[in-house]
Amino acid sequence: MRIKEHPILGKLEKEPTVEIEVDGEVIRAIPGEPIAAALLAAGKNVFRYTRKLHEPRSVFCAIGRCTDCMMIVDGVPNVRTCVTPVRAGMKIQTQHGLGEFKERTQ
Amino acid sequence: MTLEKDGFLSPEELTRLPGIPSAERLEQGPVAVIECAQEIPCNPCEEACPAGAIQVGEPITNLPVLESDKCTGCGLCIPVCPGLAIFVVDMTYSDREATVQLPYEFLPLPQKGELVTALDREGKAICPARVVNVRNPKKFDHTAVIAIAVPKDKAMNVRNIALIRRQ
Amino acid sequence: MRETELAIVGAGPAGLSAAIEAASAGVRVTLVDENQRPGGQLFKQIHKFFGSKEHYASVRGFDIGTKLLSEVEKQGVEVMLDSVVWGIFGTHVLGIIHDQKNTYLRAQKVLLATGAIENALAFPGWTLPGVMGAGAIQTLINIDRVLPGKKAIMIGSGNVGLIVSYQLLQAGAQVIAVVEAAPKIGGYGVHASKLRRNGVPILTSTTVKEAKGKEKVEKAVLVALDQNWNQIPGTESEYEVDMICLAVGLSPLSELAWMAGCQFEYIPELGGHVPIHDLNMQTTVPGIYVAGDLAGIEEASTAMEEGKLAGIAIAEALGYLSPEEAKIKKEAVSRRLDSFRKGPFGKAVRKAKARLQRRGEVQ
């Protein structure tokens, strides 16, 4: 849920004008905000599942250290969504287990 | 100490504080009630008072002392206190009612004339109250000061409000 | 290789304050931060600070942050954002990754102001989405303006737990309770009182036993503790929540200081392993300084003063301030630090810092 009015911070002026794709679904994000914030605002609670026990994970430290919030972003796995800003057209996927790094073609 | 276990001051702890005015002074007109009980480094109340009625001195961990004969009850100390621990009580508001001015940092802000529920230090509903004034100028930096009218015998217990209307 | 006189790692309150002091004395300063946004944890502090006028009392944290940023800009400090300092070598070279490219920066002096990370508390269910640090949720609600749930339980009644609980209320969430394992509340009474008068219970001698839920937190199970910190069977209670916030202390982020060969001392009152430093904030490695939470967990106010102290000492060491000028400036900072560390809440830190600095002087 986005906090549109706040007693100290005032009115949220920025509008979610950036479109990103999350597991095939288009959601709108505020330019420059961390991917994690956009997902949480859209009500998406699970970001990845662990390798062995397939347990759901999401934001924990929000400071780029714990790696709980990692997702696959534009094909690249293990992206820390709490410190990575959104970009128009970004494709984000729930990560299952360890990431797969595809060969980079120059 | 109740404050350390329960998080709020008991009436007994309150009476021992140098920031609390006497019953006699309360009967004379609006006066600050400074519910500051721990030695933490802090003195903006002393700086803010235009009448010089609040003394902290050095070290700045001293509890604020209210010189209640100097205090005019202007309430400028209310929004500057980082602990939101200062109130102004006016026992002379009317025959039956007193007003309590309290700091408020939530939305929505109540409006003048609105009926609200007055809460005590534990957040318990004490009585209905009428909002008689809302001050929220820029210089208060988002700490609004709400004045509510309550029965006189509740004035030294009411320290917060709950709005009745639903959003 | 890029060169600078003073490289500061971390653009939080300590780093920013040091940059301002050093640059205003004439030092060429490069400020490096791994985040997209400078300010460290300062901008999410939406409450009014304590202290006196010189400590910015009654000013909200983010307003102080804005002042610092504008001053840094005015002083012409070179700021590198989105830049991770991954290593520190020799005397002194920093390895920095920015935009997936590596560069090296040689600096005559280095200030490490890398701050701290929240401690974790493990209990069954703690990995469920919805269980996160109190600081984490503070960033979400105050910086990103996103509320990831409706009902929270706060674990820990130190100032972080109390302040963030109040800020959760301001953000429109419900705080079911603040839970404290110790028999008394850890933070300031005034912070606790603000919560109590809003109907938030503070349960002492209580801890969280379990978080229940399938894809995210749905319930928190609390349990009472006896005087030996043991759970008392039969005292469990369950609450419907979708956020469990952990406010159980901070630990310095000290990797670069370890790598540089700084000597440490383990001081629980300061958050754990802390680099030994003297009254100039210099570590046991000449030319490497520390300030802020890395030098001992405290507050933004003390981080700013320590940053200033380091900035002044470094400017002096580089010859931009005479010993007399530096002495006067340092004394003013020390006075403000002492003033802020007085009282019962500051006692443990005061003693710990004194012990640490005595070790630092002896080196």
Side-chain angles (χ1 to χ4, degrees):
Chain A
M1 189 209 101
R2 292 204 187 269
I3 305 168
K4 297 223 169 84
E5 299 269 359
H6 190 281
I8 311 296
L9 301 169
K11 194 164 179 283
L12 178 58
E13 297 293 352
K14 295 186 249 187
E15 291 285 324
T17 53
V18 170
E19 278 189 1
I20 59 176
E21 204 180 287
V22 182
D23 289 333
E25 190 191 322
V26 173
I27 68 163
R28 299 182 139 237
I30 291 178
E33 72 177 344
I35 297 170
L39 265 53
L40 289 170
K44 183 164 174 63
N45 294 118
V46 180
F47 287 21
R48 71 178 178 98
Y49 290 89
T50 59
R51 181 171 71 93
K52 278 196 256 188
L53 301 177
H54 308 293
E55 289 178 330
R57 297 294 180 101
S58 180
V59 173
F60 183 76
C61 78
I63 204 174
R65 288 269 159 168
C66 73
T67 74
D68 235 19
C69 69
M70 300 193 303
M71 299 182 84
I72 303 170
V73 175
D74 290 336
V76 178
N78 299 350
V79 174
R80 295 167 300 155
T81 56
C82 67
V83 290
T84 308
V86 296
R87 241 185 11 255
M90 229 176 201
K91 286 185 166 44
I92 296 146
Q93 296 162 276
T94 299
Q95 179 164 321
H96 292 266
L98 302 178
E100 261 181 41
F101 285 89
K102 300 189 178 41
E103 279 298 320
R104 257 205 282 197
T105 46
Q106 294 295 359
Chain B
M1 202 193 199
T2 317
L3 187 61
E4 285 183 341
K5 175 113 185 36
D6 298 316
F8 63 93
L9 290 161
S10 66
E12 197 254 340
E13 283 169 314
L14 276 165
T15 52
R16 286 193 261 130
L17 297 179
I20 309 294
S22 65
E24 290 82 12
R25 175 59 187 85
L26 279 161
E27 294 302 323
Q28 285 165 19
V31 67
V33 180
I34 308 175
E35 300 191 359
C36 181
Q38 290 176 331
E39 287 177 348
I40 51 187
C42 188
N43 70 359
C45 54
E46 181 180 45
E47 285 263 348
C49 178
I54 305 179
Q55 301 298 326
V56 173
E58 295 277 343
I60 59 173
T61 44
N62 289 335
L63 296 188
V65 175
L66 177 70
E67 294 192 19
S68 59
D69 37 299
K70 289 189 186 159
C71 175
T72 63
C74 73
L76 285 178
C77 48
I78 302 175
V80 305
C81 172
L84 302 189
I86 306 183
F87 309 85
V88 167
V89 172
D90 180 7
M91 291 292 197
T92 65
Y93 180 68
S94 76
D95 287 340
R96 303 227 321 268
E97 290 178 317
T99 58
V100 177
Q101 288 185 61
L102 47 92
Y104 194 75
E105 292 184 329
F106 295 99
L107 290 178
L109 280 180
Q111 283 166 11
K112 205 162 152 176
E114 192 172 326
L115 212 62
V116 297
T117 307
L119 310 176
D120 67 5
R121 292 182 188 83
E122 273 182 272
K124 289 210 187 90
I126 291 286
C127 59
R130 201 174 61 257
V131 175
V132 299
N133 199 13
V134 177
R135 286 193 283 169
N136 191 24
K138 201 150 176 253
K139 75 170 181 178
F140 284 9
D141 192 5
H142 304 90
T143 306
V145 175
I146 316 261
I148 52 172
V150 293
K152 281 196 215 239
D153 65 330
K154 306 282 192 283
M156 286 308 274
N157 276 329
V158 165
R159 290 296 175 259
N160 195 14
I161 58 172
L163 270 51
I164 296 173
R165 59 169 138 118
R166 305 216 179 283
Q167 278 167 275
Chain C
M1 192 186 302
R2 291 175 69 162
E3 306 237 354
T4 193
E5 289 182 312
L6 167 61
I8 300 178
V9 186
L16 291 170
S17 301
I20 293 165
E21 280 298 329
S24 66
V27 178
R28 170 145 175 243
V29 180
T30 304
L31 184 53
V32 189
D33 196 293
E34 64 182 3
N35 295 298
Q36 301 274 332
R37 319 175 271 215
Q41 310 313 313
L42 194 49
F43 282 87
K44 67 195 198 189
Q45 309 309 333
I46 64 172
H47 52 284
K48 292 177 175 173
F49 278 23
F50 293 78
S52 67
K53 198 166 178 182
E54 54 188 11
H55 301 113
Y56 294 111
S58 203
V59 182
R60 298 192 186 273
F62 59 84
D63 287 325
I64 301 174
T66 306
K67 281 195 233 271
L68 288 179
L69 282 184
S70 104
E71 192 57 39
V72 158
E73 207 182 333
K74 218 170 89 189
Q75 294 293 340
V77 174
E78 180 189 8
V79 180
M80 296 171 64
L81 295 176
D82 197 26
S83 302
V84 179
V85 177
W86 56 267
I88 180 167
F89 315 91
T91 320
H92 309 280
V93 175
L94 303 181
I96 303 174
I97 290 185
H98 169 74
D99 202 21
Q100 300 187 17
K101 287 190 281 286
N102 182 49
T103 51
Y104 292 105
L105 174 66
R106 186 191 296 282
Q108 289 180 49
K109 307 285 178 191
V110 174
L111 170 63
L112 301 173
T114 46
I117 188 169
E118 298 191 275
N119 295 335
L121 183 71
F123 47 88
W126 72 297
T127 58
L128 281 169
V131 180
M132 60 183 97
I137 207 155
Q138 195 186 23
T139 298
L140 286 170
I141 60 179
N142 293 340
I143 305 279
D144 301 313
R145 305 277 301 250
V146 172
L147 187 57
K150 296 195 178 71
K151 289 185 182 181
I153 269 192
M154 178 66 67
I155 312 296
S157 73
N159 279 335
V160 173
L162 296 174
I163 289 172
V164 177
S165 295
Y166 178 72
Q167 288 168 5
L168 276 165
L169 295 178
Q170 290 181 306
Q174 199 187 342
V175 179
I176 307 291
V178 174
V179 166
E180 169 57 59
K184 60 178 194 172
I185 295 167
Y188 291 172
V190 286
H191 288 318
S193 298
K194 278 156 55 182
L195 290 174
R196 295 295 278 121
R197 75 172 95 112
N198 279 290
V200 177
I202 304 178
L203 309 172
T204 53
S205 296
T206 306
T207 192
V208 58
K209 180 176 174 166
E210 187 184 350
K212 289 181 171 175
K214 201 158 176 300
E215 294 280 279
K216 59 178 183 129
V217 171
E218 286 159 28
K219 292 194 167 82
V221 180
L222 304 182
V223 68
L225 294 172
D226 67 20
Q227 285 161 324
N228 296 314
W229 310 95
N230 296 316
Q231 297 183 6
I232 302 173
T235 62
E236 289 86 353
S237 52
E238 241 181 54
Y239 298 87
E240 263 182 33
V241 294
D242 51 14
M243 295 178 281
I244 299 179
C245 311
L246 308 178
V248 294
L250 302 168
S251 294
L253 283 166
S254 47
E255 294 98 330
L256 288 172
W258 285 110
M259 194 174 174
C262 299
Q263 280 185 44
F264 279 71
E265 182 144 328
Y266 184 75
I267 305 188
E269 300 94 322
L270 292 178
H273 292 283
V274 182
I276 294 169
H277 56 279
D278 62 16
L279 289 166
N280 283 323
M281 305 307 296
Q282 186 163 220
T283 64
T284 54
V285 176
I288 299 189
Y289 297 71
V290 289
D293 272 354
L294 168 60
I297 304 299
E298 271 192 276
E299 315 191 21
S301 307
T302 50
M304 289 189 276
E305 298 300 340
E306 286 194 339
K308 287 181 197 159
L309 204 47
I312 294 162
I314 290 166
E316 182 189 3
L318 287 170
Y320 286 95
L321 287 173
S322 70
E324 294 76 35
E325 287 173 308
K327 185 162 181 276
I328 293 170
K329 284 175 181 277
K330 280 189 261 183
E331 275 171 1
V333 174
S334 297
R335 203 185 29 80
R336 286 195 300 267
L337 270 172
D338 287 342
S339 161
F340 200 85
R341 285 173 177 154
K342 283 208 157 49
F345 284 93
K347 190 169 170 194
V349 165
R350 229 165 40 235
K351 292 174 107 174
K353 276 276 180 177
R355 212 164 77 223
L356 193 61
Q357 277 159 344
R358 270 198 306 274
R359 287 277 320 259
E361 297 297 343
V362 163
Q363 300 301 324

